[in-house]
Amino acid sequence: RAHYRVLAQLAGGGPGGRHAFRVHLVTGASLGGMQTLEWLYLRAPGGGGGGGGGAVGDDERVVWRAVIIGTCARQSAWCMALNEVQRQCIRNDASFRGGCYALDAEGGGGGGISDAELQDRQPKRGLATARAVAMVSYRSRGSFEANFGRRLQMDAEPPDKFGLRRQDDAYFFAVQSYLRYQGEKLAGRFDANCYLRLLQMMDLHDVAVGRCASCGAARDAGAAPFEGGGRGAWGASGKRDAACAACKSAPCGGSGSGNGQGDSSADGLAEVLAALPQPIMCVGIDTDLLYPVSEQRELATLLPNGEYREIHGRDGHDALFIEVAQISGYMRDWLAKAVPAGPQQ
């Protein structure tokens, strides 16, 4: 929604973002893929049901087609567990101080400190460790074996036959050097609280939550970029059993609470995805540990105009940055056969 406001202003809609424009293609991977799915529910100003996401007609949808890569319709328990480990790495750093590390030791305000001072105060060790955990999850076993194996780091002092070294912190294996370097690099340029918020964004991702299972309309349309107040499609009460103003179903079906068993029909996920008529290409990565191909296949199956493609490579989730030729080929072929979804605006 925030991205839409920015794009609306760039398109000439002014501060209110009410310019009726269309987006021919939105594409995103990982967290960007989650955001892409949310874009697909946006309706143009004047669309039915109070605006802001839900049942869309050909003349109402903001986005005409999309490509999503290595993502999911809702965050899995597996990914949430990995994110929790990263979260604890940061929170257990003594410098975290409950997230108030911008304050000085006496609790004084941190509003006037420089970026360099903020970097000195933040929980660098915890953030670096969290990044190392993430870097492991981004690749695959085959990728680590091929890139590092048991190769030694040349500047390290090798241990004796008992595994002892005079310098415990010296890099020994190349994979250790890689993880420490990546952690330290991020800790020097990224804020720990921002990192935690990104983890929270991913963990809360579930397109079925707060949407009508009959038509996909958003529960809280009042937060949409087009309409000022009210509860839009879910009525004044905003309750999950309220009648849906967009599709007139009463009561409004499903809230997408999730049953934890991967049953997309039990919590409205299948119905909410079925409300997206746009052509959508779902791309999976065969070695992805975070978002396995089963999730991309499920998306392609549940979407009315979904198609599935698969990236082959050893680099896990990071293949979305590496296998550019495969991704470009899929997109080129798919877009070439896609029928224009609306007038050229």
Side-chain angles (χ1 to χ4, degrees), residues 82-135:
L82 289 168
N83 285 350
E84 176 61 15
V85 174
Q86 297 176 61
R87 196 176 287 113
Q88 290 300 324
C89 288
I90 295 173
R91 291 186 176 277
N92 290 334
D93 187 320
S95 299
F96 182 65
R97 300 177 61 201
C100 298
Y101 47 83
L103 303 179
D104 56 34
E106 288 73 35
I113 66 174
S114 65
D115 290 342
E117 289 176 307
L118 179 59
Q119 282 294 327
D120 288 339
R121 294 181 185 182
Q122 79 159 342
K124 288 185 177 180
R125 289 182 179 271
L127 182 56
T129 305
R131 178 63 168 177
V133 172
M135 295 303 295

Side-chain angles (χ1 to χ4, degrees), residues 170-222:
Y171 300 147
F172 177 38
F173 290 107
V175 67
Q176 291 175 269
S177 175
Y178 168 76
L179 293 176
R180 295 188 189 190
Y181 169 76
Q182 292 294 336
E184 291 167 2
K185 183 171 72 170
L186 183 80
R189 62 181 174 86
F190 208 83
D191 180 72
N193 278 327
C194 290
Y195 193 94
L196 291 174
R197 182 52 60 92
L198 288 174
L199 295 179
Q200 182 187 48
M201 285 176 59
M202 290 184 286
D203 288 349
L204 292 176
H205 170 66
D206 185 340
V207 296
V209 167
R211 285 195 167 97
C212 174
S214 298
C215 71
R219 175 191 301 186
D220 188 1

Side-chain angles (χ1 to χ4, degrees), residues 9-246:
Q9 292 188 47
L10 293 175
R18 302 187 65 87
H19 182 65
F21 67 91
R22 301 293 187 270
V23 178
H24 287 267
L25 172 71
V26 174
T27 182
S30 194
L31 175 58
M34 300 176 187
Q35 294 176 315
T36 299
L37 282 170
E38 294 292 336
W39 266 94
L40 288 163
Y41 287 98
L42 293 179
R43 294 195 305 279
V56 291
D58 288 346
D59 60 341
E60 297 175 358
R61 56 188 173 186
V62 170
V63 177
W64 285 336
R65 60 180 68 85
V67 175
I68 52 178
I69 307 169
T71 191
C72 60
R74 58 186 173 196
Q75 186 83 319
S76 68
W78 165 250
C79 288
M80 288 191 285
L82 289 168
N83 285 350
E84 176 61 15
V85 174
Q86 297 176 61
R87 196 176 287 113
Q88 290 300 324
C89 288
I90 295 173
R91 291 186 176 277
N92 290 334
D93 187 320
S95 299
F96 182 65
R97 300 177 61 201
C100 298
Y101 47 83
L103 303 179
D104 56 34
E106 288 73 35
I113 66 174
S114 65
D115 290 342
E117 289 176 307
L118 179 59
Q119 282 294 327
D120 288 339
R121 294 181 185 182
Q122 79 159 342
K124 288 185 177 180
R125 289 182 179 271
L127 182 56
T129 305
R131 178 63 168 177
V133 172
M135 295 303 295
V136 173
S137 71
Y138 296 157
R139 295 297 181 110
S140 67
R141 175 188 172 91
S143 177
F144 274 97
E145 289 297 327
N147 289 323
F148 305 108
R150 294 186 59 81
R151 180 164 53 88
L152 302 181
Q153 190 70 9
M154 297 304 294
D155 60 355
E157 176 191 355
D160 59 24
K161 65 179 180 179
F162 300 107
L164 302 176
R165 290 176 292 164
R166 287 191 298 272
Q167 297 179 9
D168 290 338
D169 289 334
Y171 300 147
F172 177 38
F173 290 107
V175 67
Q176 291 175 269
S177 175
Y178 168 76
L179 293 176
R180 295 188 189 190
Y181 169 76
Q182 292 294 336
E184 291 167 2
K185 183 171 72 170
L186 183 80
R189 62 181 174 86
F190 208 83
D191 180 72
N193 278 327
C194 290
Y195 193 94
L196 291 174
R197 182 52 60 92
L198 288 174
L199 295 179
Q200 182 187 48
M201 285 176 59
M202 290 184 286
D203 288 349
L204 292 176
H205 170 66
D206 185 340
V207 296
V209 167
R211 285 195 167 97
C212 174
S214 298
C215 71
R219 175 191 301 186
D220 188 1
F226 324 112
E227 305 298 332
R231 284 288 181 171
W234 281 65
S237 68
K239 296 180 180 179
R240 74 171 61 175
D241 59 350
C244 178

